[in-house]
Amino acid sequence: MTSIDRPHILVVEDDHAVGDVLRRYLEQSYEVTVVTDGVTGLAAARDLTPDLIVLDVMLPRLNGLEICRELRETDGSAVPIIMLTALGETDDRIAGLTNGADDYVTKPFSVKELTLRVGSVLRRSLVPAGTRPVAGLLIDGDLTVHPVARETLRSGTTLPLTTREFDLLHFFLRHPHEVFSREELLRQVWGWEYGDHSTVTVHVKRLRHKIEADPADPARIVTVYGLGYRWDPQS
C-alpha cells in the first residue's frame, strides 16, 4: 500500500478512454496506476503490490485471464481482482472466477457501480474483521480460521485464499448445519441483491479444492440438492 489512508488500485485496461475515466473517479479515494497491456500489467502487479487490481479480460500481449492465473497459481498472490468482461460473455466471467478473480463487472458498466464494488472488496480485504460478530479463532478439524488476521491454516500450513474465498469460508464456519441458497450467499457474502449465481458455484468449487480431502466428494461444503449448500463441521 502506498499510503495508510489511500489504498493503491492498479487498473489494467487497453481502452484509453475507459482507463482515463476510471482514473478520475478512483483517484478521488485511492492511489491509482493505469497500464494498457497485459505484460506491463502483470509486471506492475508484481512490482507495485497494489491493494486491488481492476483487470480487463481482453488485453494486448497477455489477456486478463492469463494474468489472473499467473498471479494466483505461480505467485500465490491473494490480491483482490475485479475482472472487466464484455456483456453476455458468460464464459469469460466463469473463467475469470475459476482462475481466482474475486468479482467481475460487465461492460458497458456504470463507473459508480465499479467504484462501489472496489470499495466493497477493499473493506473486506484491508479492514480486519473487528466489527464482525466473531473475532476469535474458528476451528474445524484441521482448519483454523483467524478472522482478525484474515488467515486460514490447514494442518498448520497457511492456505492462499482470495478475499471472497475467505469471506465464504468464514461465513460457513459461523453458520454450521444451516442451508443457504446461492441467492442468499450472494446477498450475505458478496453484498449483492442480485447477480449471476455461477459466481457462488465457482467460488464453492475453488474453496472445496483448498479445504476438502476429496473435492469430488466434499465432506464440509455439502450440496443440498434443490436448495443450496450446507457446512458440516468435522470437529
Side-chain angles (χ1 to χ4, degrees):
M1 187 186 298
T2 58
S3 165
I4 293 176
D5 298 322
R6 292 176 64 85
H8 185 194
I9 310 297
L10 171 63
V11 177
V12 189
E13 168 59 68
D14 64 323
D15 186 316
H16 291 275
V18 173
D20 287 344
V21 170
L22 290 178
R23 183 196 299 275
R24 287 200 302 273
Y25 272 82
L26 292 172
E27 277 184 340
Q28 297 176 38
S29 303
Y30 312 110
E31 299 293 330
V32 181
T33 299
V34 179
V35 299
T36 57
D37 71 84
V39 171
T40 305
L42 179 58
R46 288 169 168 166
D47 295 342
L48 301 178
T49 59
D51 296 297
L52 182 144
I53 302 173
V54 177
L55 180 61
D56 193 15
V57 171
M58 301 301 295
L59 293 166
R61 303 177 71 195
L62 190 68
N63 70 47
L65 299 177
E66 294 170 311
I67 293 173
C68 193
R69 185 165 53 247
E70 278 289 308
L71 292 173
R72 295 296 190 237
E73 297 182 3
T74 302
D75 298 6
S77 172
V79 60
I81 296 173
I82 297 178
M83 300 290 296
L84 301 180
T85 68
L87 182 64
E89 294 297 330
T90 303
D91 289 346
D92 281 347
R93 295 200 296 273
I94 293 176
L97 295 169
T98 301
N99 284 314
D102 295 275
D103 205 343
Y104 68 85
V105 174
T106 56
K107 292 182 174 182
F109 57 85
S110 158
V111 179
K112 181 178 180 181
E113 177 194 0
L114 177 60
T115 303
L116 289 173
R117 294 284 182 91
V118 167
S120 173
V121 174
L122 281 176
R123 279 193 298 274
R124 293 176 180 272
S125 64
L126 295 180
V127 180
T131 60
R132 299 184 184 182
V134 178
L137 292 179
L138 300 173
I139 300 174
D140 185 290
D142 60 351
L143 284 178
T144 302
V145 175
H146 196 315
V148 174
R150 294 187 66 86
E151 182 180 42
T152 302
L153 304 176
R154 184 179 181 190
S155 299
T157 300
T158 300
L159 287 180
L161 299 183
T162 66
T163 298
R164 294 300 191 192
E165 288 169 354
F166 181 91
D167 290 339
L168 185 59
L169 175 60
H170 185 209
F171 181 82
F172 275 133
L173 280 169
R174 287 173 50 203
H175 300 88
H177 305 297
E178 296 183 44
V179 178
F180 294 94
S181 67
R182 291 186 296 173
E183 182 179 19
E184 288 172 322
L185 289 170
L186 274 177
R187 185 168 57 252
Q188 296 284 349
V189 178
W190 277 259
W192 300 358
E193 289 301 322
Y194 61 91
D196 186 348
H197 291 180
S198 65
T199 299
V200 176
T201 304
V202 173
H203 276 80
V204 166
K205 181 178 180 181
R206 279 169 33 191
L207 190 55
R208 280 172 169 167
H209 276 277
K210 294 182 179 182
I211 67 171
E212 298 279 6
D214 181 3
D217 185 22
R220 283 180 156 125
I221 306 177
V222 177
T223 299
V224 182
Y225 291 98
L227 296 177
Y229 301 103
R230 182 187 68 232
W231 180 270
D232 284 355
Q234 300 299 294
S235 54

